[in-house]
Amino acid sequence: LEASLSSPWDLLAFEGDLLIAMAGPHQIWRFAPKANTVRLFAGDPRGAELRRDADDLLDSAFAQPSGFATDGTWIYVADSESSAIVKLKPGGPVKTLAGGDPEKPRNLFHFGDEDGKGPGKRFQHPLGLAMVGDTLYVADSYNHKIKSVDVKTGDVRSRFGTGIPGRADAPSQFDEPGGLSAHGDQADLVDWYSSFEGRPPVYLVHGEERAQQPLLTKLRSELHAPAEIARYQQKIAIGA
């Protein structure tokens, strides 16, 4: 399959396919590996740059969609140029959850650093998203903060970062954070692995060794898992 992509910023696994945040044409595309096709999934077919809520996915519009997250029901999109967080369902609708100009969807200069509920000057160029329970975490890049959004109420709160660019732990500082990831803690990972039939092999590839080693010990001692810490440039045959 040959396809011309323009600034694909993020991917989201979706019903066996991949959604692509196409920041260049201000659209969301869908890539189907089995069918070997890619097509427009959501956004203005002409690539209009604005934030537009709609009941139909192809009647909606985005302004540089850059990040995805999902809670299994809604797909959340960091709409960077409108400084808003938008949510959508696979069959529609598309709705603004927080941020953005509530009256002028073409206004791409409605940004700020205000906590509060719903539309308003909540963000400045949000990029990355991560879902934890009912809370959506946002890498609010130009505000140098990590913020949270209650997906049930649209309430936005500053969680980490002083708003001053820098790199520090206490108090926490960031310099244009652009991405986030979230996963369970050690107990969650062990519980997840225990749900598998048999004991499939485990290769720990994420995190620092000081965090990997206790998890490795727990998997081996409690579940007798064939687990190991993956080595640099190690080749692993999956499904062999």
Side-chain angles (χ1 to χ4, degrees):
L1 174 66
E2 292 186 4
S4 297
L5 305 181
S6 178
S7 297
W9 276 81
D10 200 8
L11 300 172
L12 179 70
F14 171 72
E15 296 180 348
D17 295 344
L18 282 176
L19 297 185
I20 309 171
M22 293 289 286
H26 315 292
Q27 298 167 339
I28 297 172
W29 289 14
R30 181 172 182 170
F31 169 54
K34 291 183 179 179
N36 202 33
T37 60
V38 62
R39 62 178 176 84
L40 177 63
F41 177 75
D44 188 273
R46 298 165 297 176
E49 184 181 14
L50 68 151
R51 178 186 50 81
R52 183 170 64 219
D53 294 354
D55 290 330
D56 189 276
L57 295 178
L58 297 184
D59 289 333
S60 67
F62 300 90
Q64 203 176 103
S66 299
F68 287 133
T70 184
D71 59 7
T73 301
W74 291 92
I75 296 169
Y76 301 93
V77 182
D79 202 41
S80 297
E81 285 295 281
S82 70
S83 293
I85 304 301
V86 177
K87 65 178 185 177
L88 62 89
K89 286 185 176 180
V94 178
K95 296 182 177 181
T96 300
L97 175 64
D101 190 327
E103 298 179 354
K104 300 177 181 179
R106 290 185 178 274
N107 183 7
L108 303 183
F109 297 93
H110 192 81
F111 53 78
D113 190 14
E114 301 172 351
D115 288 354
K117 188 179 294 185
K121 298 180 179 180
R122 310 289 179 219
F123 311 99
Q124 186 175 1
H125 204 76
L127 287 176
L129 301 177
M131 196 78 208
V132 181
D134 291 329
T135 302
L136 182 69
Y137 287 89
V138 181
D140 193 10
S141 63
Y142 290 173
N143 282 324
H144 314 290
K145 289 183 176 181
I146 306 298
K147 295 185 177 180
S148 66
V149 183
D150 186 318
V151 297
K152 293 183 177 179
T153 66
D155 189 47
V156 179
R157 297 293 162 189
S158 297
R159 295 299 182 184
F160 307 100
T162 62
I164 300 172
R167 295 180 62 185
D169 293 334
S172 58
Q173 281 186 292
F174 303 93
D175 192 346
E176 296 188 12
L180 295 171
S181 67
H183 58 74
D185 59 14
Q186 184 185 101
D188 291 326
L189 293 172
V190 170
D191 183 63
W192 169 75
Y193 179 80
S194 68
S195 67
F196 287 93
E197 294 184 4
R199 288 291 179 260
V202 178
Y203 296 91
L204 304 182
V205 299
H206 180 69
E208 298 177 349
E209 187 174 352
R210 63 182 182 182
Q212 290 177 328
Q213 195 62 51
L215 176 58
L216 179 70
T217 301
K218 202 173 188 68
L219 287 169
R220 287 176 170 175
S221 63
E222 294 186 10
L223 299 178
H224 307 290
E228 63 179 276
I229 296 174
R231 303 184 306 276
Y232 177 62
Q233 293 188 335
Q234 179 181 358
K235 293 182 179 180
I236 299 170
I238 298 176

